[in-house]
Amino acid sequence: MDPILATLHAYRDAVLAKDVEAFVRLYDDDLHVFDMWGDWSLRGLAAWRRMAQGWFGSLGDECVVVSFDDIQSSIAGAIAYGHATVTYTAQSKDGVAVRSLSNRMTLVLQRRGEDWKVVHEHTSAPIEHATLKAVLQRPRDA
């Protein structure tokens, strides 16, 4: 399977399960993340684990359903890279969608033995000029 697709599927499953260890297993020890929430950037697996622990711990009884659209990927030797639109939908314990947002994700993976690990992740959203607020709902025509 394409390593980008496999990583996105495992990401989706780990987030739904709120499984911090399954989540961080996708990433390399020397990870560098440009995340759009909070910190300007995060370096290393320990920082990324703390982010995941805080995120999953903040959900209480809710879970987050992750879906990906417009996935593009390429492999060049021991490097795989790709991008997608990712939508996060929080659901109540009864399965009711309570909020949703989308952003853009770019991943760079490097082969580590038999495994592929994320070495760089970048998430972003466009900024509305007039308000300087992030646009977190994807327009239907985009």
Side-chain angles (χ1 to χ4, degrees):
M1 177 182 258
D2 176 324
I4 294 291
L5 286 175
T7 298
L8 294 177
H9 290 167
Y11 180 104
R12 175 199 64 207
D13 296 346
V15 171
L16 182 61
K18 296 189 262 187
D19 185 338
V20 172
E21 293 311 310
F23 185 79
V24 298
R25 262 195 308 274
L26 302 171
Y27 296 87
D28 191 72
D29 291 337
D30 194 28
L31 170 70
H32 192 180
V33 177
F34 294 142
D35 195 22
M36 63 183 276
W37 301 103
D39 297 313
W40 185 259
S41 72
L42 296 164
R43 287 187 177 266
L45 202 53
W48 198 233
R49 177 179 277 110
R50 283 190 302 275
M51 181 287 304
Q53 289 168 331
W55 177 22
F56 297 165
S58 73
L59 296 172
D61 290 339
E62 294 178 353
C63 67
V64 175
V65 176
V66 178
S67 60
F68 297 96
D69 292 303
D70 304 322
I71 301 167
Q72 299 288 316
S73 64
S74 295
I75 301 172
I79 299 289
Y81 53 94
H83 57 85
T85 300
V86 56
T87 299
Y88 300 89
T89 303
Q91 290 185 346
S92 69
K93 64 181 177 179
D94 301 324
V96 176
V98 293
R99 64 189 167 281
S100 182
L101 64 87
S102 297
N103 63 44
R104 304 170 298 198
M105 177 186 283
T106 301
L107 296 173
V108 178
L109 283 63
Q110 190 164 15
R111 188 186 305 269
R112 300 290 195 226
E114 295 299 313
D115 297 323
W116 289 89
K117 298 289 183 174
V118 178
V119 295
H120 182 66
E121 179 175 315
H122 188 128
T123 57
S124 68
I127 302 296
E128 206 286 317
H129 250 48
T131 65
L132 297 181
K133 291 184 179 183
V135 178
L136 298 175
Q137 300 301 319
R138 183 177 179 187
R140 292 197 185 275
D141 60 349

